[in-house]
Amino acid sequence: MTRDHVDLLPLNTLRVPAMAEHFAEVTMASQLPGLLAHARANHWPLTVLGEGSNVVLGDFLPGLVLAIRSKGITVLDDGDTHVRIQVAAGENWHMFVRWCLQRGYFGLENLALIPGSVGAAPIQNIGAYGVEVGRFVESVQCRLLPSGEQRELNREDCAFGYRDSVFKRELSDVALIVSVIFVLPKIPRPVTTYPSLANYLEAHEIAGPTAQQVFDAVVDIRSNRLPDPEALPNVGSFFKNPVLGEEQFQGLLERFPAMPHYEDPAGHKLPAAWLIEQCGFKQRGGAVRVHAEHALVIINPEQRPAREISALAREITDEVRARFGILLEPEPRRYGIFEQ
Ligand code: FAD
Ligand code: EPU
């Protein structure tokens, strides 16, 4: 069943005012063939939303917005060393992480407290504190839009990269994810190399942490560093961290010897937060502004429209490019019509 002219402000964590021309909540995957046929018959373009924590919505979204709310967690195989679990796209990511930990299914503890749905997790290959979800994904079950044709992709097909996958490239806005099958180890192997996590564990004198201790540490670090969207609307990191080639990196390091950096398989990764902070954005006021605790997070406490978010994002991009010669790439995806 679809509804007309639905207010999407409560359904995006940046709290920008946005209106869906038509809207439906998908609570069961079996609703999809009917909804997609209805959209095709009416020539409605489609937009898929999870929990709206990584999107910037324009004032008006023409066509049909599908909010994925389907639930269900099924253990497919419970082996001695690994478990295979199929999870419906509309399950909440953090709840699923907790569910796994409670049952002794490990690996996802570093990804605690990432907002959003399970179905969105493969889209940008969510990652935090040294772990990316892609390594635990066995396959992704999809419906192709607008036809509704069913398609299953294995991990290789997903082409996971840093904040990247086939769902942001060839299948961008074409594959609606219905469920994800994860394979998780039952033997814990905590990953504690990420600098702020390692420092936290050391400061709290936790050597050889359990998965639960890693989970607790990640929750504590995140709660202190990243604003809760309920209190200060945001979409997490607004830009990806840039990855530079050797020549550009060495040139910058000569000019800015204190520049923090990490080694990445693709090159030298720089924290975009540092680049933005160096340009002085933390000191600037404004209704839409960067968060005082983390320069990579744009906050929107007054629920201003998307054009004001875009204006600040453009200012940041321009100043970082002028000062460092680096073009920052936005992380959240944009949907709908942005009024000037
Ligand atoms: P939405 O914002 O609703 O959608 C995001 C994209 O996925 C859109 O393109 C949408 O069309 C698509 N999509 C959603 N569901 C489906 C589906 N079922 N099928 C097909 N496409 C779909 N991300 C990280 O990687 N690491 C972090 O540490 C992190 N921290 C964050 C902290 C905060 C405070 C916030 C607000 C965000 C953070 N994020 C982080 C970003 C965000 O949590 C993730 O991108 C999350 O996966 C988005 O889930 P969602 O359900 O809200 O997706
Ligand atoms: N920094 C600053 N100023 C700040 C904040 C950070 O200079 O205001 C510098 C510091 O040098 C710090 C470094 O940036 O050491 C890294 O900061 P942090 O550990 O917070 O990580 P990040 O690179 O800013 C990335 C992800 C986050 C993820 C964390 C933890 C991206 C774009 N962001 O942030 O993901 O939670 O690492 O792994 O890769 C998201 O995608 O929405 C997100 C929050």
Side-chain angles (χ1 to χ4, degrees):
M1 202 50 184
T2 63
R3 287 189 282 142
D4 296 339
H5 295 107
V6 170
D7 178 13
L8 299 178
L9 184 142
L11 301 186
N12 77 89
T13 65
L14 200 50
R15 299 283 182 264
V16 293
M19 176 79 76
E21 189 178 14
H22 310 284
F23 176 87
E25 264 190 0
V26 180
T27 53
M28 286 180 302
S30 57
Q31 290 168 265
L32 281 169
L35 281 167
L36 298 182
H38 190 57
R40 280 197 307 277
N42 289 287
H43 307 286
W44 290 341
L46 291 157
T47 304
V48 180
L49 270 191
E51 296 185 23
S53 66
N54 215 18
V55 286
V56 181
L57 302 181
D59 309 68
F60 185 69
L61 282 85
L64 178 61
V65 173
L66 293 172
I68 309 300
R69 302 281 180 260
S70 50
K71 303 282 187 246
I73 303 181
T74 312
V75 173
L76 301 175
D77 287 313
D78 195 1
D80 291 337
T81 58
H82 287 82
V83 62
R84 285 176 72 234
I85 312 172
Q86 184 162 24
V87 189
E91 288 284 349
N92 175 265
W93 175 259
H94 178 67
M95 294 303 161
F96 172 58
V97 172
R98 274 189 15 204
W99 183 94
C100 289
L101 200 53
Q102 281 160 2
R103 282 158 184 79
Y105 308 149
F106 301 112
L108 303 180
E109 49 278 1
N110 298 54
L111 304 177
L113 220 58
I114 296 181
S117 58
V118 167
I123 304 285
Q124 70 160 6
N125 182 23
I126 56 168
Y129 302 94
V131 172
E132 288 178 338
V133 75
R135 72 156 94 166
F136 300 108
V137 171
E138 182 188 87
S139 61
V140 176
Q141 292 69 47
C142 308
R143 291 266 183 184
L144 298 186
L145 303 177
S147 68
E149 181 195 330
Q150 299 194 55
R151 171 85 64 91
E152 181 166 57
L153 284 84
N154 62 30
R155 184 187 307 150
E156 213 165 87
D157 301 328
C158 291
F160 290 121
Y162 165 62
R163 296 294 189 271
D164 196 26
S165 75
V166 72
F167 305 107
K168 289 184 81 174
R169 293 175 181 268
E170 292 88 331
L171 294 182
S172 176
D173 300 317
V174 170
L176 187 158
I177 295 178
V178 172
S179 61
V180 182
I181 297 181
F182 298 92
V183 175
L184 300 177
K186 293 173 78 172
I187 299 151
R189 273 199 206 91
V191 176
T192 58
T193 44
Y194 191 84
S196 55
L197 178 58
N199 294 341
Y200 180 99
L201 294 170
E202 203 187 320
H204 289 76
E205 295 178 359
I206 304 170
T210 62
Q212 182 66 50
Q213 284 173 315
V214 171
F215 174 97
D216 293 340
V218 167
V219 167
D220 205 21
I221 296 169
R222 292 185 69 102
S223 307
N224 286 315
R225 208 78 208 276
L226 292 165
D228 174 1
E230 288 300 326
L232 284 176
N234 74 88
V235 282
S237 300
F238 202 90
F239 299 97
K240 292 189 193 184
N241 285 332
V243 180
L244 306 188
E246 193 60 33
E247 201 178 320
Q248 191 183 14
F249 172 70
Q250 291 303 342
L252 274 174
L253 204 54
E254 254 172 51
R255 286 174 53 210
F256 304 99
M259 180 175 75
H261 54 91
Y262 310 95
E263 295 323 307
D264 186 271
H268 304 278
K269 202 188 245 181
L270 307 184
W274 186 83
L275 301 171
I276 297 167
E277 186 168 346
Q278 294 304 302
C279 293
F281 279 97
K282 272 189 179 174
Q283 282 73 43
R284 299 187 198 179
V288 175
R289 56 186 185 274
V290 306
H291 185 46
E293 304 295 320
H294 207 303
L296 197 46
V297 181
I298 290 181
I299 56 171
N300 184 25
E302 294 178 21
Q303 309 189 341
R304 296 293 182 96
R307 60 181 171 277
E308 295 190 31
I309 312 286
S310 301
L312 176 59
R314 224 175 4 252
E315 239 180 272
I316 291 174
T317 314
D318 288 349
E319 290 194 32
V320 166
R321 183 160 46 182
R323 180 134 190 225
F324 298 100
I326 293 172
L327 181 61
L328 292 179
E329 200 186 320
E331 184 187 284
R333 320 258 319 259
R334 286 162 57 105
Y335 292 96
I337 296 167
F338 288 67
E339 281 168 19
Q340 291 306 310

